[in-house]
Amino acid sequence: MTIQYKALIRDLNYLINLRAVTATKLTDPHGYLLKINLQWPMEITETEFFKRIKNIPKGKVHGFLSA
């Protein structure tokens, strides 16, 4: 798996954990149905959003950018 796919999967997992996106496994062994939760901005407060974002691990590639 390339680095780009790993980053995509990582970012999708963050969005799923924030409940901004849902993922449903399809019958195809490698298939998922992704749905955007359009109601999400109305379901989360700005304070809660920033609290959750703060807990997301920082990238290790450019440490000086995430300080």
Side-chain angles (χ1 to χ4, degrees):
M1 189 179 296
T2 65
I3 293 174
Q4 291 85 4
Y5 284 119
K6 288 181 182 179
L8 174 64
I9 292 168
R10 178 201 62 216
D11 292 346
L12 283 173
N13 280 327
Y14 291 149
L15 290 171
I16 291 167
N17 287 331
L18 287 171
R19 297 186 183 170
V21 173
T22 59
T24 306
K25 190 169 174 106
L26 301 175
T27 55
D28 176 7
H30 301 290
Y32 287 87
L33 176 65
L34 298 174
K35 291 183 182 178
I36 299 170
N37 181 0
L38 297 176
Q39 299 300 316
W40 181 74
M42 294 177 272
E43 295 172 359
I44 190 168
T45 64
E46 185 176 350
T47 305
E48 183 65 22
F49 172 75
F50 285 115
K51 180 179 166 185
R52 291 183 187 183
I53 291 297
K54 193 174 189 178
N55 292 329
I56 292 176
K58 304 292 186 268
K60 298 176 186 173
V61 177
H62 301 291
F64 67 94
L65 294 175
S66 61

